[in-house]
Every structure is written in C-alpha cells, then in structure tokens.
Amino acid sequence: MSKYIVTISRQYGSGGKTIAGMFAEKQGIPCYGRDIIRRASDESGISEALFAQADEKLVNGTLFGISKKIYRGELLPPSSSEFTSPQNLFNYQAKIIRDLADQPGSSVFIGRCADFVLADRPETVSVFIHAPKDYCLEQARLRNPMSGVDLEKFVAKTDKFRGDFYRYYTGREWNDARNFDLCLDSSKLGFEGCVSAIEAYLKVRFGE
C-alpha cells in the first residue's frame, strides 16, 4: 500500500484516541496527538504552558463568538505583538503537523484539525469516530472519577470545545459528515471493527 496519512477526529467517549493508537500500532506507524503541542513549543520557543492557556481560553469561550481565524498557514515572527496569539500558536501546531506528514512513511494524527491542515494532500484520509450519547458516557465512566450529571456536563463541554475549536480555525462544522472521508460509529463496530473499517477503506482507495 502506498503512503497514507490518517487523521482521526472523535467525540469524547467514542474511543477515537484508542482506535487511532490501535490502528497505528497494527500498521507499525507513528501516531501523533498531544505531543504536537510539545513539538510546536520546541519549534517556536514559546512556552508549552502558553499553548495550554490558549486552549483554556477557547474552552471558556472567551475567543469563540468573534470572527473566525481560519488557518492559512502564515507564521508570525517573534517581533510581532501577536506572536503568542492563539492563532499563531495554532499555526505552529499546523506547521508541525505538516512537517511530520512530510516525513517518509505513513502516519496517524489525532485531533488538532489535522484533517483540514492536510486536506490538500491526496494521501490524507480523514476519519470521524462517533457514537450515541449513552455509549460515550459509558466509555467516559471508565476513564473519569466523575459520574451522573457532572460526567454528562464534562462530556458535553469537551465536545462543544472540539466543535468550537474546529469551527474557529477551519470555518467548518466538526460534526458534518461531508468534512470527512469516513464516519464510523464505534458502538456498532467496536474498536477492532473500526480499525478494520479504516484498513478496508485504505485498500479500496489506494490498493494493496
């Protein structure tokens, strides 16, 4: 099979991160997620804490609701007053994603709008992992000490952040199936089934 890049977007509790890791391990290829932020910090010289603070501002809704900052690829120099702005921090993450995608061999990316950042590459396969609310809550309980209403609020807030984050930087809707090559319901397929479905799609699209 030729080189491919798989991007995984996912609802919280759908198992998307686990599925991405399982697929990458089975294929023997790297899987990149939150470590993209560390790499972006090293590349830019900007404290990793500032990247986390930018995400926190978005979580709290202090930036959403204003004009979108759709990713165009531009990086601002350290002399710019906007050097540590959320937009520039995201652009550094996008640069890391593109640099990693440039490396020989296939790879997997989790979140961070990687599907949009790499949309111009014909080898990119964008996947959205989703599941019904009850299933996502059931899976979330396995990883969180919260329960009941607190857990429901946490899951809803996390998914809202992911949707807002995606809209802010791409101008598109995170849960719109038209934005992805493949949408999989993990409650029906199971994690292994989702891995198999991605493999089957790759074989049809790129051949052996």
Side-chain angles (χ1 to χ4, degrees):
M1 189 181 297
S2 58
K3 174 180 176 177
Y4 56 83
I5 300 168
V6 175
T7 68
I8 303 286
S9 300
R10 74 283 185 215
Q11 285 184 296
Y12 190 87
S14 67
K17 182 178 179 181
T18 300
I19 292 165
M22 290 170 60
F23 175 81
E25 182 177 5
K26 188 173 181 181
Q27 298 296 317
I29 60 177
C31 182
Y32 304 107
R34 291 288 298 179
D35 54 319
I36 290 170
I37 295 177
R38 175 183 56 77
R39 292 170 183 266
S41 174
D42 292 342
E43 171 87 11
S44 64
I46 299 171
S47 168
E48 191 171 339
L50 288 180
F51 285 85
Q53 289 174 19
D55 276 4
E56 188 62 28
K57 288 180 181 179
L58 298 178
V59 169
N60 292 330
T62 56
L63 290 180
F64 295 140
I66 64 175
S67 59
K68 301 179 181 66
K69 300 295 183 181
I70 299 174
Y71 168 70
R72 305 296 184 192
E74 306 89 349
L75 287 173
L76 299 176
S79 59
S80 171
S81 61
E82 296 295 310
F83 182 61
T84 59
S85 66
Q87 176 65 40
N88 205 44
L89 295 178
F90 177 81
N91 287 353
Y92 266 106
Q93 294 174 63
K95 180 182 183 301
I96 294 300
I97 290 172
R98 294 185 69 85
D99 287 349
L100 291 171
D102 282 338
Q103 295 182 3
S106 301
S107 53
V108 178
F109 292 89
I110 304 172
R112 314 314 293 182
C113 304
D115 62 292
F116 185 82
V117 172
L118 300 174
D120 61 329
R121 305 190 180 211
E123 69 271 27
T124 298
V125 173
S126 56
V127 181
F128 186 80
I129 306 294
H130 62 96
K133 178 181 177 180
D134 289 346
Y135 180 86
C136 289
L137 287 173
E138 179 183 343
Q139 293 297 312
R141 288 189 190 96
L142 301 177
R143 299 192 299 167
N144 291 277
M146 293 178 286
S147 61
V149 175
D150 289 339
L151 182 61
E152 287 193 40
K153 289 182 177 179
F154 175 76
V155 171
K157 183 177 181 180
T158 301
D159 279 346
K160 183 179 185 304
F161 163 70
R162 290 177 177 175
D164 289 345
F165 184 95
Y166 191 82
R167 185 184 309 110
Y168 187 73
Y169 290 116
T170 72
R172 305 193 305 189
E173 293 301 317
W174 172 66
N175 58 359
D176 187 338
R178 293 172 296 182
N179 294 327
F180 301 95
D181 297 311
L182 193 62
C183 294
L184 302 173
D185 184 338
S186 57
S187 72
K188 295 179 178 178
L189 296 177
F191 294 176
E192 289 284 358
C194 287
V195 170
S196 297
I198 297 171
E199 290 176 327
Y201 179 89
L202 289 170
K203 288 180 180 179
V204 171
R205 179 164 162 181
F206 298 115
E208 294 292 341

